Amino acid sequence: MAVPVVEPERYSQQLKAKRDAITHRFAHLDPPSLEVFASPPSHFRQRCEFRLWHEGDDLFYAMFDVDPEDPSNKKIVRLDQYPVASRRINELMPQLIEALRDDPVLRYKLFQVDFLTTLTGEALVSLIYHRTLDDAWEHKARELQARLNVMIIGRARKQRRVLERDHVWERLTLDDDREFVYQQVENSFTQPNAQVNRKMLTWARDVTRGSQQGDLVELYCGNGNFTVALAENFRRVLATEISRTAVASAQINLDANHIDNAVVARMSAEEFAQALANQKINEASAEKSDEKKGRRVSAMALEEYAFTTVLVDPPRAGLDEHSCEQLRDYSRIVYISCNPVTLLTNLEQLKDTHAIMRFALFDQFPWTDHCECGVLLERRS
């Protein structure tokens, strides 16, 4: 993947190209007019990962420009600043290099630096090594942490030293003036473009208003990004996620926002669909892990829900045919997609039973070809 070239004066041009491409790709489904949500043209990523390159006494951040015709051909690109990254990251980049360059303890076999920041300026820096981290490293890292006013985590093979905490707290004020707070854990997925995430959450709240008499089921809920923002639009919410770390963080985020009508269950979308179809999980011959699944399903008390809406935010592969087929059971579908190709495949599968009522493009990743879309579908009468 090429290192993005940021040219703010060209931003409207690149956004128009994305809008035109999405409009053309989905035209045969006859969707409503595309709603387009722009990103800041620069300094929009709140998290970034860099290789740390050692050349003699010199030390610098690096990314790789990969030849699309020959992926094995990688060119090292030196980065002293990175206009894609948040202003806080750009502020820290030279300060960290300066501190590391002349410190043999912190520098030795350091090969990667990860930054995680927030709109309010919190910063967590992960230093990743090809060696064991000892008490001497921790002493130096604590000095660096105080000097830069950041939180530091040291990582190496089978080792993770958290000096203060392993997360930041992001505060997002939406366009309807509602504010939500999110714990975002180091080395876990979070939406990288916080300003566009604000717009995604505002849009999702808007398209699900008037649903208080029904319940929402959310698949692939992550750390509760949508769960937290949408809970007040529904009577009850049941969210599912397979990652143990994400489930724990989602629960913390529900508590932090004083939400008491949502539950997060640790299970895959496929397991939930199986449970909803009342297929027996805890059979006599089941393994112990399946018995645990059976107990989790019972604890969810699915019979108490009246699901009217489903929200899916799947990975780039989209939904498989069977999972997509099960969406037909819901009156309303909110589909968040990071891959227009698989989104189109899924929408074509649903077009005979559901109509597209709202269609949005969220420019999460300016200066790349990636497009994030939001679709509201409602069952045809």
Side-chain angles (χ1 to χ4, degrees), residues 74-120:
K74 299 179 181 180
K75 176 185 175 184
I76 299 170
V77 179
R78 176 177 180 141
L79 297 170
D80 296 314
Q81 291 281 270
Y82 191 48
V84 166
S86 70
R87 296 190 185 280
R88 181 72 169 122
I89 292 176
N90 278 275
E91 173 187 85
L92 287 169
M93 287 172 69
Q95 296 175 2
L96 182 61
I97 286 290
E98 186 66 26
L100 294 172
R101 184 180 287 116
D102 299 323
D103 192 318
V105 174
L106 292 176
R107 174 176 176 163
Y108 182 56
K109 292 197 174 182
L110 174 64
F111 74 94
Q112 183 171 318
V113 176
D114 297 351
F115 293 95
L116 176 61
T117 61
T118 70
L119 294 175
T120 56

Side-chain angles (χ1 to χ4, degrees), residues 146-353:
R147 176 177 168 184
L148 298 184
N149 189 28
V150 299
M151 295 170 286
I152 288 180
I153 293 177
R155 286 203 274 127
R157 179 176 168 81
K158 296 182 179 180
Q159 192 178 21
R160 184 168 178 257
R161 287 203 172 201
V162 179
L163 302 192
E164 185 172 340
R165 51 184 161 96
D166 67 350
H167 59 273
V168 296
W169 285 99
E170 180 64 281
R171 291 185 174 276
L172 299 178
T173 301
L174 308 191
D175 293 350
D176 56 6
D177 292 329
R178 287 287 275 115
E179 182 183 80
F180 299 102
V181 59
Y182 292 92
Q183 182 202 66
Q184 298 183 338
V185 180
E186 182 254 6
N187 206 33
S188 297
F189 177 78
T190 55
Q191 296 288 349
N193 189 327
Q195 295 290 7
V196 172
N197 189 32
R198 290 175 54 246
K199 298 178 181 182
M200 289 175 62
L201 296 177
T202 299
W203 180 87
R205 282 167 59 81
D206 184 48
V207 303
T208 58
R209 291 195 197 284
S211 310
Q212 282 83 357
Q213 300 308 309
D215 298 332
L216 168 70
V217 60
E218 181 184 355
L219 310 180
Y220 312 95
C221 77
N223 74 336
N225 185 53
F226 286 99
T227 323
V228 165
L230 296 185
E232 67 184 37
N233 279 2
F234 293 89
R235 186 179 70 107
R236 297 177 66 181
V237 178
L238 176 60
T240 68
E241 169 59 50
I242 192 61
S243 164
R244 188 185 302 274
T245 301
V247 168
S249 190
Q251 187 57 61
I252 288 171
N253 288 332
L254 291 176
D255 294 341
N257 290 278
H258 310 293
I259 293 169
D260 58 8
N261 68 328
V263 174
V264 182
R266 183 170 175 259
M267 61 171 46
S268 69
E270 294 75 20
E271 289 169 345
F272 174 76
Q274 185 182 33
L276 199 60
N278 294 319
Q279 295 182 16
K280 195 172 182 182
I281 291 179
N282 187 19
E283 298 179 0
S285 59
E287 296 178 352
K288 187 174 181 180
S289 60
D290 288 328
E291 292 175 6
K292 292 179 180 178
K293 291 176 187 175
R295 289 197 295 271
R296 289 204 302 270
V297 170
S298 297
M300 286 192 296
L302 292 176
E303 69 280 0
E304 297 179 6
Y305 289 87
F307 296 118
T308 56
T309 305
V310 59
L311 186 149
V312 290
D313 185 6
R316 288 188 59 79
L319 298 172
D320 61 58
E321 185 174 348
H322 179 65
S323 298
C324 188
E325 192 68 22
Q326 291 172 330
L327 298 187
R328 296 181 189 274
D329 294 337
Y330 300 91
S331 299
R332 183 165 50 184
I333 303 166
V334 181
Y335 194 134
I336 306 297
S337 169
C338 59
N339 186 351
V341 175
T342 54
L343 172 63
L344 180 59
T345 299
N346 290 159
L347 293 184
E348 286 177 336
Q349 185 177 344
L350 295 166
K351 66 182 179 182
D352 60 327
T353 56

Side-chain angles (χ1 to χ4, degrees), residues 1-3 51 53 62-67 73-77 79:
M1 181 178 177
V3 176
R51 288 296 298 272
W53 213 254
M63 284 188 170
F64 298 99
D65 237 340
V66 180
D67 183 348
N73 183 12
K74 299 179 181 180
K75 176 185 175 184
I76 299 170
V77 179
L79 297 170

